[in-house]
Amino acid sequence: MKKRALLLFALLCLGNSAFAADDLTTQAKKLFKPIPSKAPSLKENPATAAKIDLGRKLFFDPRLSSSQLISCNTCHNVGLFGADLQETAVGHGWQKGPRNSPTVFNAVFDAAQFWDGRAKDLQTQAKGPVQANVEMNSNPELVVKTLKSIPGYGPLFRAAFPGQKDPVSFDNMARAIEVFEATLITPSSPFDRFLQGDTKALNAAQKRGLKVFMNKGCAPCHAGVNVGGADYYPFGVREAPATEIRPSGDTGRFMVTNTESDRYVFKAPSLRNVAFTQPYFHSGKVWKLRDAVAVMASAQLGIKLSDHEVDDTVAFLHALTGKEPRIAYPLLPPSSDTTPQPKLK
């Protein structure tokens, strides 16, 4: 953490001269990579058509929750750029969760999942909300009992996990959801095309915004294929944000590691499709992208951007909007007389 903080400080101190030597395209290619056109392969969980199909059904199936009202898609709506347009997630019994729901789009490229990185991958993440009483309020035993009571799921699990004696399991549920979520990528944004050599893919304002993004010091935390999502950083490097935006009771990664240097440290979110995944920050308290840019400039960089710089930065961030995956809502296998009944309270 200390080395990361020192590197971040050094990069911020470079200021406007950081990227003066080379042209815009060359420097951008050193910092960023385009989203690939195909979903990445998962080394420990190889995808098959049968596994992806099962994962798609499970992602949309509200019967994974005890109320049978909440699915993965509830908080990660594939029609809303993988997010939910809520300050913080709303779960079982209309309970409000403590943090904003990150988009599931391109999450496969993140180094870890959740704002505090407590899940190492999408498979681990898929198990969390199902069991959280403030979210889906279920448990592995109830999930397996429910899935085994639905006749149509048995053949789907056997096709997805051939050779297993008892494939309908909580772990396999998570594995199937993981491979489906790995397909939720958004390639071919204007910025991707720019990185691939199409210098006209960005307009003049977006190119100016890219310069601001790199020269002012945004790129050290928001780089790579996901323009973020690769590491953890303190929220408030130069100036503590307003308490409403950074609630004092949510200490971020400190709650996972119990390490003092991780207090108010969070995963730098991916900025892919950020123009349409409002509200912003883990608190979800900022709704306008312009305001989020201004907060980051003061809190992380210790500067005040001019109105023109903010406008250009926002224009660049719009250029990170990629091609959304077209997901057909699946027909789910019907319940049976033995399927557990929903519990709303």
Side-chain angles (χ1 to χ4, degrees):
M1 182 66 196
K2 290 182 178 179
K3 290 183 179 179
R4 184 166 67 241
L6 289 172
L7 174 61
L8 175 59
F9 181 77
L11 288 168
L12 295 180
C13 289
L14 289 175
N16 291 334
S17 64
F19 300 100
D22 298 316
D23 67 276
L24 186 65
T25 305
T26 300
Q27 285 301 328
K29 287 182 177 180
K30 291 179 180 178
L31 292 167
F32 311 100
K33 293 181 180 180
I35 293 284
S37 59
K38 295 182 179 180
S41 58
L42 304 175
K43 185 177 180 180
E44 297 181 2
N45 187 20
T48 63
K51 196 183 293 184
I52 293 173
D53 178 62
L54 173 61
R56 179 171 63 103
K57 288 180 170 64
L58 293 170
F59 184 88
F60 284 95
D61 200 327
R63 290 169 295 187
L64 297 184
S65 68
S66 64
S67 66
Q68 300 192 11
L69 285 173
I70 302 170
S71 69
C72 302
N73 190 64
T74 302
C75 294
H76 303 286
N77 194 311
V78 296
L80 295 172
F81 283 91
D84 63 1
L85 293 178
Q86 300 295 312
E87 284 189 4
T88 61
V90 177
H92 185 77
W94 292 102
Q95 297 178 85
K96 289 192 68 175
R99 293 176 181 161
N100 177 260
S101 299
T103 176
V104 72
F105 283 3
N106 306 306
V108 67
F109 300 116
D110 283 351
Q113 304 301 317
F114 295 115
W115 283 96
D116 54 21
R118 64 185 184 274
K120 65 178 182 178
D121 52 31
L122 289 170
Q123 183 181 149
T124 307
Q125 187 277 333
K127 298 177 180 180
V130 175
Q131 301 178 80
N133 60 12
V134 73
E135 296 182 68
M136 298 171 79
N137 193 44
S138 190
N139 57 69
E141 294 75 21
L142 179 57
V143 168
V144 171
K145 181 179 180 180
T146 299
L147 292 173
K148 286 187 174 182
S149 76
I150 300 171
Y153 267 127
L156 294 174
F157 271 88
R158 288 193 291 273
F161 302 98
Q164 293 189 15
K165 184 178 180 180
D166 189 13
V168 183
S169 69
F170 193 67
D171 285 343
N172 282 347
M173 174 212 73
R175 291 187 183 102
I177 291 175
E178 178 183 41
V179 295
F180 168 69
E181 289 184 343
T183 69
L184 301 178
I185 59 175
T186 61
S188 301
S189 71
F191 187 50
D192 288 322
R193 299 197 300 273
F194 177 80
L195 292 173
Q196 291 165 338
D198 181 1
T199 58
K200 296 182 179 180
L202 299 184
N203 62 34
Q206 290 167 339
K207 289 178 180 178
R208 291 195 303 269
L210 174 57
K211 289 181 182 178
V212 172
F213 194 86
M214 294 190 296
N215 290 350
K216 294 295 184 180
C218 307
C221 300
H222 294 282
V225 68
N226 235 7
V227 195
D231 212 336
Y232 312 97
Y233 301 94
F235 187 19
V237 174
R238 294 292 182 84
E239 177 182 309
T243 303
E244 182 184 39
I245 297 173
R246 195 193 73 177
S248 58
D250 187 348
T251 53
R253 191 152 172 77
F254 174 79
M255 300 166 73
V256 178
T257 66
N258 202 34
T259 300
E260 188 58 36
S261 60
D262 282 337
R263 190 177 293 274
Y264 298 119
V265 167
F266 296 87
K267 183 181 70 176
S270 165
L271 298 184
R272 294 285 183 174
N273 309 301
V274 69
F276 300 103
T277 55
Q278 68 273 21
Y280 303 110
F281 305 118
H282 64 284
S283 61
K285 288 295 184 180
V286 177
W287 282 85
K288 295 181 180 179
L289 190 53
R290 283 182 54 85
D291 294 342
V293 169
V295 168
M296 291 300 288
S298 62
Q300 302 304 93
L301 308 176
I303 61 175
K304 179 177 174 57
L305 298 175
S306 70
D307 288 343
H308 290 304
E309 288 173 326
V310 173
D311 288 339
D312 290 341
T313 302
V314 170
F316 165 66
L317 293 176
H318 272 268
L320 299 177
T321 305
K323 184 178 179 181
E324 294 179 83
R326 299 182 68 87
I327 307 298
Y329 198 103
L331 295 176
L332 302 176
S335 301
S336 71
D337 289 342
T338 62
T339 300
Q341 294 182 355
K343 294 180 180 180
L344 297 177
K345 297 182 179 180

